[in-house]
Amino acid sequence: MGGANVVVCCSPSALPNILKLQFSRSQKLLGASSANHKRSVLRLHEPQPTSPRALPHAIVHHCALTMSNVEQRPFVPAKKVNTAYPLIDSDPHIKRVLAYTRPSDYATGAVVAAAGPGLMLTWEKIAPSYVGKGGFAPIMRLAGFVGLTAGFLTMYQRSILRFYGFSENSREVERDMKEMVSKVKKGESLYGESSLTPYMQGVASRNSRYSGVFLHVMPWFNFVNHNQHGVDTAKYYQQAERELEAERLGKTGGI
């Protein structure tokens, strides 16, 4: 009663049965505790639900880590190509290529553009197709479009090959030096301002380096301002320093 201990007496023959009963009960308790432990472990390994507000932050964090791992080489130098003339730019902007186009390039492009429609008219006179006015007009329009495209690509390729140093480019080298030195004196960016990261500028450069060589197969142009053009820009700053020093000495001597 109360806190008194109760002593149960049993015969020696009943002792094994009591031990077996106690052992089976302990096994059941151990099995239940083990099952509970497994369920708790599985709950820990289950993916925890993420709140809608935390999900965008997690995605942004993952993307930031990925980009930080990728953007390890913002500058990959272009391969050196042995050319007979100096390299001006391995990836010039399309505006620059058109600005440096020579009159002879325009003339060659015009001849190529007129060759398509001209040949169609010549063949029509030599071997008439007898398709009538309504049937021959679409053929001439198509020939004109193909001719204009071929003429533009021919003109563009002749100009861009001079930037690569594949053809005579003394005029372009001189103009390039004057243009870049003028930008240095004004404190402007040599190749234009860009909102891209250094890594993305490198990607843009690698996508269109020397693309003018394969222009007749796949027209590919550079529309991006970047800082990777395959040349050492120190020559522009050195020339600007020399010219500024000469101007300073000239003013001093005049005084």
Side-chain angles (χ1 to χ4, degrees), residues 24 28 34 56-57 60 66 80 96-97 135 149 165 181 186 197 207 211 213 216 239 249 252:
S24 62
K28 290 180 180 180
S34 177
H57 298 286
V60 171
T66 304
K80 297 295 182 181
R96 200 165 183 229
V97 177
T149 303
V181 169
K186 295 178 182 178
T197 63
N207 281 338
S211 60
V213 178
H216 58 288
Q239 180 64 23
L249 293 176
T252 304

Side-chain angles (χ1 to χ4, degrees), residues 5-204:
N5 294 328
V6 179
V7 179
V8 179
C9 296
C10 60
S11 63
S13 60
L15 185 60
N17 295 329
I18 294 174
L19 292 176
K20 289 180 181 180
L21 180 61
Q22 293 293 335
F23 180 76
S24 62
R25 288 179 179 177
S26 62
Q27 288 293 102
K28 290 180 180 180
L29 292 175
L30 288 174
S33 62
S34 177
N36 293 332
H37 176 70
K38 289 182 180 179
R39 282 195 292 269
S40 62
V41 171
L42 289 175
R43 290 195 195 99
L44 290 175
H45 287 82
E46 287 179 354
Q48 299 298 323
T50 305
S51 63
R53 293 183 179 180
L55 185 59
H57 298 286
I59 295 175
V60 171
H61 181 66
H62 174 72
C63 293
L65 290 177
T66 304
M67 291 300 294
S68 63
N69 292 332
V70 171
E71 296 186 7
Q72 297 298 323
R73 298 186 65 190
F75 177 75
V76 179
K79 292 183 179 180
K80 297 295 182 181
V81 180
N82 295 324
T83 58
Y85 303 96
L87 172 66
I88 300 175
D89 196 333
S90 62
D91 188 28
H93 196 280
I94 183 174
K95 292 181 179 179
R96 200 165 183 229
V97 177
L98 295 177
Y100 279 58
T101 303
R102 295 184 180 183
S104 59
D105 300 333
Y106 285 106
T108 304
V111 171
V112 173
L119 288 174
M120 290 302 300
L121 287 174
T122 303
W123 289 336
E124 180 65 17
K125 290 182 178 180
I126 296 174
S129 60
Y130 301 107
V131 295
K133 295 182 179 179
F136 192 68
I139 298 175
M140 288 300 298
R141 285 195 292 268
L142 178 60
F145 173 76
V146 173
L148 288 174
T149 303
F152 173 78
L153 294 179
T154 301
M155 175 197 70
Y156 190 90
Q157 189 173 49
R158 284 172 58 90
S159 178
I160 199 171
L161 290 182
R162 297 191 189 95
F163 281 90
Y164 300 155
F166 291 168
S167 56
E168 189 277 323
N169 59 359
S170 58
R171 174 185 172 185
E172 285 72 22
V173 169
E174 182 180 357
R175 180 175 176 179
D176 170 72
M177 181 61 71
K178 290 182 179 179
E179 178 184 354
M180 294 303 180
V181 169
S182 176
K183 289 184 177 181
V184 171
K185 292 179 180 179
K186 295 178 182 178
E188 299 176 354
S189 176
L190 294 180
Y191 299 101
E193 299 295 336
S194 177
S195 59
L196 300 177
T197 63
Y199 175 77
M200 292 307 299
Q201 292 184 42
V203 171

